[in-house]
Amino acid sequence: MGSKYKRILIKLSGEALAGEGEFGIDTNKAHSLAEEIKEVHDLGVEIALVVGGGNIIRGTNLAKVGIDRATADYMGMLATIQNALALQDACEKKGLYTRVQSAIEINSIAESYIRRRAVRHLEKRRIVIFAGGTGNPYFTTDTTASLRAVEVGCDVILKATKVDGVYTADPKKDNGAQRYSQISFMESINRRLKVMDSTALSLCMENNMPIIVFDIFKQGNLKDLITGKNIGTLISN
Ligand code: UDP
């Protein structure tokens, strides 16, 4: 079965790469993610990735222990570049062609983000990994995912998480929590559901960019999603 989408953006949190204690980079995780990514790439879909940095540094946490927030955020952005390189390595070991484009100039390590160039890479079936967040403090990589998906014309954002969608409450804390199969941007903002931050959600809402929240750790889920199976939670207008 073929892909339902032509071009997708997958948002991976830093946690998706984390080892013990949700910290650092576990190469096994990177390799299994790369395997899932390859499976969907083989279906012909163009793939952009945005990776977070929370497994190494999260700006808000460092700010709490006394580092200036903007500085802490820049440190967080650097963490996303490290994750991007780990993912690039894992993807290339599976035979995929990739490019890392960073929002922060770091020329000896990665290309700088140039929209038209990113689009060209995608057209050539290279996987483009957007690193360095938006390049601005006080933003998140969820917002980066929304921005880049809109900029390069993706059909959908696939937000990879540890849970299989958006719930009415935290399913770990509340037995009665129900999973939404679909929810509007407005409702998820109003209910303050912790799916994505409100900046990311409003950017998607204004630009009609659907998001599907799904469990990346269940093997085959990504492929099932791409081929049109009803998985996770769809957030749309
Ligand atoms: N960050 C930032 N601007 C951005 C994107 C990220 O300042 O545009 C910083 C921020 O400190 C954030 C950290 O990078 O905490 C890591 O990103 P994020 O928390 O979004 O990663 P995730 O939760 O997806 O692992």
Side-chain angles (χ1 to χ4, degrees):
M1 206 196 270
S3 170
K4 195 177 159 189
Y5 307 101
K6 183 173 183 300
R7 183 174 294 167
I8 60 170
L9 185 143
I10 306 172
K11 162 71 206 313
L12 297 163
S13 63
E15 223 178 23
L17 286 171
E20 288 287 305
E22 298 184 352
F23 186 79
I25 296 171
D26 178 342
T27 48
N28 291 326
K29 291 249 182 72
H31 284 280
S32 51
L33 285 171
E35 189 62 51
E36 304 269 327
I37 291 166
K38 185 177 187 317
E39 270 190 27
V40 295
H41 188 262
D42 288 348
L43 297 174
V45 63
E46 296 171 6
I47 304 173
L49 301 174
V50 166
V51 62
N55 56 323
I56 302 170
I57 284 171
R58 186 160 280 134
T60 44
N61 292 347
L62 268 192
K64 278 185 206 141
V65 294
I67 293 186
D68 191 67
R69 171 69 194 270
T71 304
D73 278 343
Y74 280 112
M75 293 168 73
M77 288 183 253
L78 289 175
T80 71
I81 300 175
Q82 299 193 37
N83 284 336
L85 294 177
L87 265 179
Q88 175 174 47
D89 183 84
C91 287
E92 296 210 323
K93 295 228 162 85
K94 304 276 173 213
L96 295 164
Y97 293 94
T98 67
R99 293 289 187 275
V100 174
Q101 285 207 344
S102 172
I104 295 173
E105 301 260 328
I106 187 157
N107 296 335
S108 43
I109 297 178
E111 286 179 14
S112 295
Y113 172 64
I114 298 173
R115 189 183 73 89
R116 294 175 65 102
R117 203 164 177 192
V119 169
R120 191 74 194 118
H121 288 322
L122 291 167
E123 286 168 355
K124 288 189 174 168
R125 308 224 346 101
R126 295 176 185 136
I127 292 179
V128 182
I129 308 173
F130 294 119
T134 61
N136 304 293
Y138 301 98
F139 285 92
T140 63
T141 52
D142 280 351
T143 301
T144 310
S146 310
L147 179 62
R148 296 289 185 248
V150 172
E151 282 188 272
V152 303
C154 292
D155 304 317
V156 67
I157 295 174
L158 305 179
K159 161 124 170 133
T161 61
K162 282 198 294 194
V163 278
D164 62 347
V166 183
Y167 280 76
T168 49
D170 185 346
K172 277 190 211 134
K173 292 179 191 153
D174 184 344
N175 279 339
Q178 302 269 334
R179 180 168 64 86
Y180 294 101
S181 64
Q182 200 168 345
I183 186 168
S184 70
F185 289 117
M186 206 34 116
E187 197 178 348
S188 44
I189 295 170
N190 288 342
R191 286 179 178 263
R192 293 178 196 283
L193 297 170
K194 291 196 182 82
V195 229
M196 271 197 163
D197 57 87
S198 56
T199 313
L201 288 170
S202 32
L203 197 57
C204 287
M205 180 167 73
E206 276 164 28
N207 294 285
N208 225 348
M209 174 63 62
I211 305 169
I212 300 173
V213 181
F214 75 108
D215 179 2
I216 185 86
F217 292 107
K218 185 161 175 253
Q219 218 187 343
N221 242 3
L222 183 59
K223 188 173 180 186
D224 286 349
L225 228 179
I226 298 290
T227 52
K229 278 205 188 139
N230 199 357
I231 282 168
T233 299
L234 168 68
I235 315 176
S236 60
N237 272 319

